[in-house]
Amino acid sequence: MRGNVLKKSRCGRPHKLSYRDARAIVRKVEKNPKISAPKLADQIATASGKKVHPETVRRILRSGGYNGRVSRKKPRSSHL
């Protein structure tokens, strides 16, 4: 049976975003840590045409080592 490729059934739904898309999301957050997940989801929708839920963006960021907190700017010390 040369040349005959059967489609194997797979378990679960395939990923909506590729590995490359996920890396691009993490890169955007590295540039601007204060951007929100809904804004990132909108940017993905306009750039690639893939409509993504903000929770999907959050899941990708968690797997990239980020969580839902951004460090606060400390006030300048005036007693120097």
Side-chain angles (χ1 to χ4, degrees):
M1 286 220 157
R2 255 167 88 111
N4 187 6
V5 180
L6 299 174
K7 281 203 167 208
K8 283 189 156 185
S9 63
R10 66 169 76 198
C11 171
R13 182 178 176 149
H15 292 286
K16 196 163 198 179
L17 296 175
S18 65
Y19 179 70
R20 191 175 192 171
D21 295 331
R23 280 194 348 246
I25 291 171
V26 172
R27 235 179 295 126
K28 283 184 182 184
V29 170
E30 283 173 358
K31 278 187 179 177
N32 181 12
K34 294 189 178 186
I35 193 166
S36 65
K39 283 186 184 175
L40 270 172
D42 288 340
Q43 286 181 6
I44 294 165
T46 56
S48 67
K50 297 176 183 175
K51 193 172 182 206
V52 179
H53 198 271
E55 193 58 42
T56 306
V57 174
R58 286 186 202 105
R59 196 167 14 94
I60 288 169
L61 290 175
R62 276 188 222 110
S63 68
Y66 290 91
N67 50 19
R69 293 178 294 281
V70 176
S71 61
R72 267 236 182 199
K73 284 222 171 198
K74 302 255 172 100
R76 277 185 66 181
S77 180
S78 62
H79 65 278
L80 287 177

